[in-house]
Amino acid sequence: MSHHVGKSVTRVDAFDKATGRAKYTDDLCEKNALVVRVVRSTIAHGFVKSIDISEAEKVPGVVKILTCFDVPDIKFPTAGHPWSTDPSHQDTADRKLLNQHVRYYGDDVAAVVAEDEVAAARAARLVKVEYEVLPFVLDVQKAMEEGAPQIHETCPGNVLKHTSNIRGNYEEAIKEPGLICVDKWYDTASVQHCHIENHIAVAHEEAGKIVIVSSTQIPHIVRRTVGQALGIDWGKIRIIKPYIGGGFGNKQDTLYEPLAAWLCMQVGGRTVKIDIPREDTFISNRIRHAERFHIISWVRPDGTVVARKVDLYSNQGAYASHGHSIAAKGLNAIPQLYPVPNYCGNAYTVYTNRSTAGAMRGYGMPQASHAIECHVEDIARALGVDSLEYRRKNVMPVGFVDGFSKNELYSDTFNQCFDKAVAYMDYDRKRKEYENQTGDIRKGIGLATFWYNTAVWPISLEHSSCRMVLNQDGSVQVQVGETEIGQGADTAYAQMTAEILGLKDYRDVHMISTQDTDITPFGTGAYASRQTYVVGFSISQTGNILKRKILEYAVELTRCPLVNMDIVDSNIVRTTDGRVLMSLKELATEALYSLSHSVHLTAESSYQIKNNAYSFGCCCAEVEVDIPMCRVQLKKIINVHDCGKLINPQLAEAQVHGGMSMGIGMALSETLLWDEKTGAPLNNNLLDYKLCSTMDHPHLEAQFVENPEPTSPFGTKSLGEPPTCPVAPAIRNAILNATGVAIDTLPMNPHVLFKRFSEEGLINDPWRKEN
Amino acid sequence: MAQYMLVKYNLNGKDVEQMVDVRASLTDMLRNDFRMTSVKKGCEVGECGACTVIINGEAYNSCIYLAVWANGKTIRTLESLMGPNGELSDIQQAFIDEAAIQCGFCTPGFIMSAWEILESGKEYTDAELRKLLSGHLCRCTGYENIIRAVKKTMYKRLGKEMPE
């Protein structure tokens, strides 16, 4: 039946983006908007004792300066989660609009509202802040030690949350004689999303409401959090989300929308713009949780893992944001990917004085996939067996069902993905060839796998609403709450709508890309790689309602029984003989202008999704390691994904490319650094923080295995985040294959390699011996 | 010190005059005074390439180019690549066809640098193309389809088959 779904059609927004016409938040901002500059703390931890704004106020163009002593005494949550009406599941509310207790270097202490950027920046520099300085802590385990600086009064010991995942009896199981113990630590780094459009929010008052245009992934959620932060009714907030220049999870958080709204209210409802500079984006938005894993596996000589212990320490930074959900997801993923009878898992999410960690593409799974896929490689090496064969034997078996999510592995997906990667890379031959190399330049090949959820059910609400409106010409407008953030969601929605309604051309579906919480049906936004899956339900349900209304109207016009009619290629067709009875356009025009029975044919419905689905894939990478230079060059790489049926193969491939690139950065170069002495950020700019450029990777190969997902009306499941998950461990395992050295710290940059290669005696470090 | 200065230059084929703040960047002037929405701000310090425009035939980061320096220059933004009847240029069409566009924020800058590369009439190797485009950052595409769009257009203009 597929006519539109499964085709590589052009993006619905491609023309506007290729011509510069697509409007982003700043493009919509009035020229006379007041400009905000946030004054940031210059200490990592302490209290603001006083703020002197007398000099700053004298700067011409300054309209108002507000400080942490002026803001409402309300703490609010920022996480882009659906709200829980159960107080025990609500997100932690631990920050104010501006903070007197500052918890990271760069915390928001005051805000200057001025007529232009120059005045705002000059005044911000003249704001004098006096602090009571407190000790700070950057390391996650040090923050858990007794006597560590206390970061939140409400959280003694700094552990925001601790959860366990216990199966079987670990302590008993490890008593079995003859077990081999593999005991290792793995560290991932703090990295940032680096969407090219910085976060920006513009607020003004209109019709008694506060209207905020924002670069956000989650307009309906932000409406709620702004209401909570300001203590005003949620209906008085209106969020408009135009095109956004990337999000990757950073904009799945409430960032500066509440502050923009509040400042707007302080200047009589005039338009106020907060456009966060790149340097501040790195420190004052969100970052990926740096996670430290301690994994101990007890293995029989035949490879059977009898028991596994995982301790996961997740560095939350200064504020809770998405908090423990990220570490918990990783902790619970490990025993699903490699089921073991006795599992003892503990995850700790711990406040530190780093920048706040939140959602980032993969939501804890790139970290967990990294740790377990390094560990599995290390087990295979300890046993002296081929690691790919080891994976094939031990990975989640076909028919596996997760008790909690009811996710099921229906097909032999893992092996199908491995086979495609192996064939493309010539893996088996190279793996052998690269054993036991000598010399300065060595080659290696490695592989890693992962699974990923689709959507967030049953952890929290999964809901999508859709509105369809038929135009006189037989085209339709479609609105959903799930946002286009660059991934191509609008195009997938248009294809799915055209499919369900039987339209001739997917371009007869006009996606209303902008979400406006006063107008757009409720939907929670772009996250969890949920969009295509969850909107698939609401589009198919709403499309079928509209289609039935159209055909019921066709009964009036044609007298043909409803059961004998369908819409095919935008025509009303008698199914018994295929005759075209009338065009959809004729019907739609008649419906609106009929003197006997005029009706506006529209449909709107909500669908609550109580399913979830496993998405799978693997990465295989080949590297060349220059040992004296401690440098890794990526030579060849492939990701293979099973995300069910592809809605748009070309766009799916493009998404995989982007995820691979982010994974390569995480593997080899990206890390945010803080000064151990002051807690100040050291590389919060795009030169010193090294994300991949065109020079940093070879051709990115993306392939697919299309096992249809039975729970989805379109056979599809998650793809947005998954590509980032397996890349870093595949590269790490390739370096191990090349050099025999396990690099257990990310990123695997020359600094880390130098240390490890000298420890392993591959290179001489003259200073090391003296020390 | 004079706070404002009159600059006269040619913008997208039209002679224009504008009083500008002497501290303003070319990005500021093009966005604020001429509403050239293709000129994007991603870093404002010449790191990301999103603000790239063509000045006298050469691609520049307009965010680190003072507006007053535009005086007497010929400046082209992405808006100028479209023909008088709304026809897309070959490189814009290639970006669309090759799915080289995702969030679209880096797209105008990339297309302007690609335009400079293509106007040279030279045939570049993959490595050279990657180097020539390395001043632009993109977080969505992994650059894969962007490179292919530029490469395809280059070979098309050269009248040659694109090698695999």
Side-chain angles (χ1 to χ4, degrees):
Chain A
M1 86 159 199
S2 258
H3 195 60
H4 302 288
V5 162
K7 300 254 168 69
S8 290
V9 302
T10 301
R11 288 179 70 107
V12 295
D13 52 6
F15 186 94
D16 281 1
K17 287 176 174 176
T19 54
R21 283 180 185 175
K23 296 285 189 292
Y24 300 76
T25 299
D26 192 47
D27 302 327
L28 297 167
C29 183
E30 290 166 24
K31 209 174 156 183
N32 63 352
L34 299 175
V35 175
V36 174
R37 186 56 73 102
V38 177
V39 179
R40 304 195 171 282
S41 70
T42 51
I43 60 166
H45 190 207
F47 285 94
V48 177
K49 284 168 71 180
S50 64
I51 299 183
D52 176 3
I53 59 171
S54 54
E55 286 302 310
E57 275 183 322
K58 290 178 192 158
V59 173
V62 168
V63 174
K64 203 155 197 175
I65 300 173
L66 292 143
T67 75
C68 54
F69 300 104
D70 301 319
V71 297
D73 187 19
I74 301 174
K75 286 185 175 174
F76 60 94
T78 66
H81 292 146
W83 185 237
S84 175
T85 50
D86 171 4
S88 66
H89 285 109
Q90 289 169 358
D91 291 305
T92 306
D94 64 355
R95 67 161 78 203
K96 295 184 190 174
L97 291 168
L98 299 165
N99 293 293
Q100 196 190 342
H101 183 170
V102 297
R103 299 174 173 97
Y104 70 97
Y105 197 108
D107 208 338
D108 314 321
V109 297
V112 177
V113 185
E115 281 166 6
D116 58 62
E117 284 168 39
V118 176
R122 283 173 71 188
R125 280 195 297 273
L126 293 171
V127 172
K128 293 191 191 82
V129 185
E130 197 188 344
Y131 296 101
E132 177 193 339
V133 180
L134 295 175
F136 66 91
V137 61
L138 298 171
D139 182 84
V140 64
Q141 284 182 286
K142 283 185 182 152
M144 294 171 75
E145 286 171 6
E146 224 178 292
Q150 290 302 292
I151 297 163
H152 286 268
E153 295 80 351
T154 49
C155 186
N158 297 326
V159 176
L160 173 63
K161 198 164 181 183
H162 163 222
T163 54
S164 299
N165 183 331
I166 310 289
R167 297 168 193 205
N169 188 330
Y170 174 84
E171 293 302 335
E172 278 304 308
I174 65 172
K175 289 177 184 161
E176 181 180 317
L179 294 179
I180 300 157
C181 177
V182 180
D183 181 336
K184 298 264 303 196
W185 290 80
Y186 308 96
D187 261 281
T188 70
S190 289
V191 298
Q192 220 267 336
H193 313 70
C194 297
H195 34 71
I196 304 302
E197 182 204 32
N198 291 305
H199 171 65
I200 170 170
V202 181
H204 74 277
E205 279 185 27
E206 188 179 322
K209 290 184 166 197
I210 301 167
V211 183
I212 308 165
V213 184
S214 176
S215 179
T216 180
Q217 301 172 215
I218 47 166
H220 278 283
I221 289 176
V222 169
R223 170 189 236 178
R224 182 254 303 168
T225 49
V226 171
Q228 290 174 327
L230 273 57
I232 57 180
D233 292 339
W234 303 356
K236 291 205 169 134
I237 313 291
R238 177 177 170 199
I239 308 289
I240 296 171
K241 177 254 159 216
Y243 283 118
I244 82 169
F248 310 110
N250 186 36
K251 297 170 185 173
Q252 189 210 338
D253 217 308
T254 304
L255 296 168
Y256 284 97
E257 295 93 345
L259 185 61
W262 182 72
L263 292 173
C264 161
M265 291 166 72
Q266 307 314 304
V267 294
R270 293 163 73 187
T271 304
V272 159
K273 170 164 88 168
I274 302 188
D275 188 357
I276 301 294
R278 175 63 63 185
E279 292 75 11
D280 290 2
T281 295
F282 275 104
I283 56 174
S284 73
N285 282 200
R286 305 291 176 266
I287 61 175
R288 191 190 286 290
H289 290 78
E291 293 187 2
R292 183 172 297 154
F293 293 80
H294 184 197
I295 309 185
I296 308 172
S297 294
W298 298 83
V299 192
R300 290 191 189 125
D302 70 356
T304 313
V305 179
V306 171
R308 173 164 293 149
K309 191 172 200 286
V310 174
D311 289 317
L312 193 175
Y313 305 94
S314 181
N315 194 322
Q316 181 55 53
Y319 294 99
S321 175
H322 285 250
H324 191 62
S325 17
I326 286 160
K329 185 166 180 173
L331 181 78
N332 299 333
I334 289 172
Q336 294 181 54
L337 188 60
Y338 292 101
V340 288
N342 301 288
Y343 183 69
C344 174
N346 282 285
Y348 305 84
T349 295
V350 188
Y351 283 122
T352 68
N353 297 108
R354 289 192 190 192
S355 295
T356 300
M360 182 169 169
R361 195 177 201 161
Y363 211 76
M365 294 293 267
Q367 297 97 312
S369 307
H370 182 72
I372 190 62
E373 283 300 275
C374 293
H375 190 71
V376 162
E377 194 76 19
D378 293 342
I379 292 174
R381 210 172 164 83
L383 295 169
V385 299
D386 178 78
S387 59
L388 177 56
E389 283 311 307
Y390 181 86
R391 282 188 178 84
R392 290 187 194 272
K393 275 187 200 156
N394 290 280
V395 79
M396 177 192 290
V398 177
F400 180 90
V401 180
D402 175 51
F404 180 59
S405 63
K406 308 288 185 249
N407 277 350
E408 184 172 340
L409 171 52
Y410 300 100
S411 316
D412 194 16
T413 292
F414 283 104
N415 284 315
Q416 292 163 356
C417 290
F418 293 156
D419 291 344
K420 279 202 160 186
V422 163
Y424 174 76
M425 298 291 285
D426 195 7
Y427 177 88
D428 294 328
R429 185 186 64 76
K430 286 178 181 167
R431 188 84 178 173
K432 282 211 171 59
E433 190 186 318
Y434 298 158
E435 277 171 10
N436 308 317
Q437 293 168 84
T438 52
D440 286 349
I441 311 289
R442 299 183 201 173
K443 288 179 178 173
I445 187 164
L447 185 143
T449 190
F450 75 96
W451 71 264
Y452 196 81
N453 267 325
T454 307
V456 297
W457 181 263
I459 300 268
S460 61
L461 174 74
E462 263 312 349
H463 163 116
S464 172
S465 308
C466 174
R467 178 183 301 142
M468 293 184 185
V469 175
L470 186 68
N471 297 317
Q472 291 92 326
D473 62 354
S475 65
V476 287
Q477 264 85 256
V478 175
Q479 282 180 292
V480 295
E482 281 66 36
T483 50
E484 168 66 60
I485 61 169
Q487 79 283 54
D490 281 350
T491 309
Y493 304 155
Q495 290 177 263
M496 294 192 294
T497 304
E499 189 77 46
I500 291 289
L501 287 178
L503 304 184
K504 188 170 171 44
D505 193 327
Y506 78 105
R507 283 167 293 197
D508 291 335
V509 179
H510 307 295
M511 288 306 306
I512 300 183
S513 189
T514 296
Q515 276 77 16
D516 175 334
T517 53
D518 271 12
I519 298 167
T520 311
F522 183 82
T524 45
Y527 54 86
S529 305
R530 63 194 284 273
Q531 311 265 102
T532 310
Y533 185 71
V534 303
V535 175
F537 293 95
S538 65
I539 282 183
S540 94
Q541 178 175 278
T542 310
N544 280 313
I545 294 169
L546 181 61
K547 187 172 175 179
R548 190 176 172 89
K549 286 185 178 181
I550 292 168
L551 293 178
E552 280 168 355
Y553 197 77
V555 173
E556 292 182 31
L557 299 180
T558 65
R559 301 184 190 171
C560 181
L562 192 127
V563 290
N564 286 347
M565 285 192 292
D566 197 1
I567 309 173
V568 179
D569 283 344
S570 295
N571 286 316
I572 310 298
V573 171
R574 187 162 66 194
T575 51
T576 42
D577 63 354
R579 176 181 289 182
V580 174
L581 302 177
M582 65 192 307
S583 69
L584 181 58
K585 179 181 177 178
E586 288 168 315
L587 180 144
T589 310
E590 185 62 24
L592 272 179
Y593 301 115
S594 165
L595 290 178
S596 53
H597 176 205
S598 79
V599 56
H600 192 190
L601 293 168
T602 67
E604 180 162 348
S605 76
S606 291
Y607 193 96
Q608 187 176 6
I609 298 98
K610 296 189 176 179
N611 296 104
N612 207 322
Y614 279 131
S615 192
F616 307 96
C618 70
C619 173
C620 189
E622 186 180 1
V623 299
E624 195 172 274
V625 186
D626 183 330
I627 291 171
M629 293 302 287
C630 301
R631 199 164 54 199
V632 176
Q633 206 185 356
L634 185 61
K635 303 300 281 186
K636 192 172 182 178
I637 188 164
I638 182 175
N639 266 32
V640 186
H641 289 272
D642 181 357
C643 58
K645 299 299 279 181
L646 300 175
I647 305 299
N648 185 319
Q650 191 191 30
L651 294 186
E653 246 187 71
Q655 272 221 285
V656 174
H657 296 151
M660 291 170 79
S661 177
M662 198 175 268
I664 294 166
M666 175 180 163
L668 295 175
S669 61
E670 292 182 40
T671 180
L672 277 166
L673 302 167
W674 288 269
D675 188 335
E676 294 290 334
K677 291 193 183 102
T678 62
L682 292 173
N683 62 338
N684 51 326
N685 62 71
L686 291 168
L687 283 183
D688 298 315
Y689 178 89
K690 187 71 184 78
L691 66 124
C692 291
S693 78
T694 49
M695 306 287 285
D696 296 304
H697 29 66
H699 164 68
L700 305 173
E701 178 74 8
Q703 292 186 13
F704 297 93
V705 168
E706 289 188 71
N707 292 309
E709 168 57 40
T711 60
S712 156
F714 296 97
T716 191
K717 53 190 173 184
S718 69
L719 182 66
E721 296 163 278
T724 306
C725 297
V727 177
I731 293 172
R732 180 266 190 187
N733 293 340
I735 299 171
L736 177 60
N737 178 236
T739 63
V741 179
I743 311 293
D744 298 329
T745 304
L746 290 181
M748 296 174 285
N749 60 15
H751 307 272
V752 171
L753 263 54
F754 177 78
K755 182 166 173 283
R756 287 291 294 130
F757 287 171
S758 44
E759 279 168 4
E760 298 288 337
L762 265 65
I763 52 172
N764 261 329
D765 173 5
W767 293 282
R768 188 168 178 266
K769 282 174 189 162
E770 284 164 22
N771 293 338
Chain B
M1 185 184 77
Q3 180 88 7
Y4 291 91
M5 198 181 269
L6 182 70
V7 289
K8 299 181 182 186
Y9 63 107
N10 186 283
L11 174 61
N12 295 337
K14 190 180 158 194
D15 289 330
V16 295
E17 294 185 4
Q18 180 67 37
M19 286 298 288
V20 292
D21 190 318
V22 294
R23 301 161 302 182
S25 69
L26 180 56
T27 304
D28 290 335
M29 176 168 70
L30 291 173
R31 284 189 61 81
N32 300 340
D33 299 322
F34 294 91
R35 281 293 180 201
M36 294 291 141
T37 53
S38 76
V39 185
K40 303 293 189 205
K41 292 192 292 179
C43 67
E44 299 191 82
V45 286
E47 290 162 355
C48 78
C51 63
T52 300
V53 300
I54 304 291
I55 304 173
N56 288 355
E58 223 180 307
Y60 279 86
N61 284 322
S62 65
C63 71
I64 47 171
Y65 192 97
L66 283 177
V68 293
W69 295 345
N71 200 38
K73 304 286 196 313
T74 298
I75 294 177
R76 293 190 70 166
T77 69
L78 177 67
E79 281 82 354
S80 74
L81 293 196
M82 189 188 261
N85 302 312
E87 317 91 319
L88 289 181
S89 62
D90 53 358
I91 185 64
Q92 288 170 302
Q93 191 61 50
F95 267 65
I96 295 174
D97 294 343
E98 298 303 320
I101 300 169
Q102 290 191 37
C103 83
F105 209 77
C106 73
T107 306
F110 259 112
I111 293 179
M112 296 319 282
S113 278
W115 183 86
E116 183 195 30
I117 291 166
L118 294 166
E119 287 293 299
S120 76
K122 290 182 190 155
E123 180 175 346
Y124 292 104
T125 63
D126 283 9
E128 286 167 336
L129 278 181
R130 283 184 179 274
K131 195 167 182 182
L132 286 166
L133 291 167
S134 64
H136 295 269
L137 295 174
C138 168
R139 199 53 148 168
C140 298
T141 66
Y143 310 103
E144 188 69 23
N145 293 348
I146 292 174
I147 304 265
R148 195 166 57 241
V150 178
K151 196 171 154 183
K152 273 199 170 173
T153 313
M154 179 181 77
Y155 280 105
K156 213 170 160 186
R157 284 202 188 182
L158 293 168
K160 288 186 182 179
E161 281 285 301
M162 186 169 98
E164 268 312 300

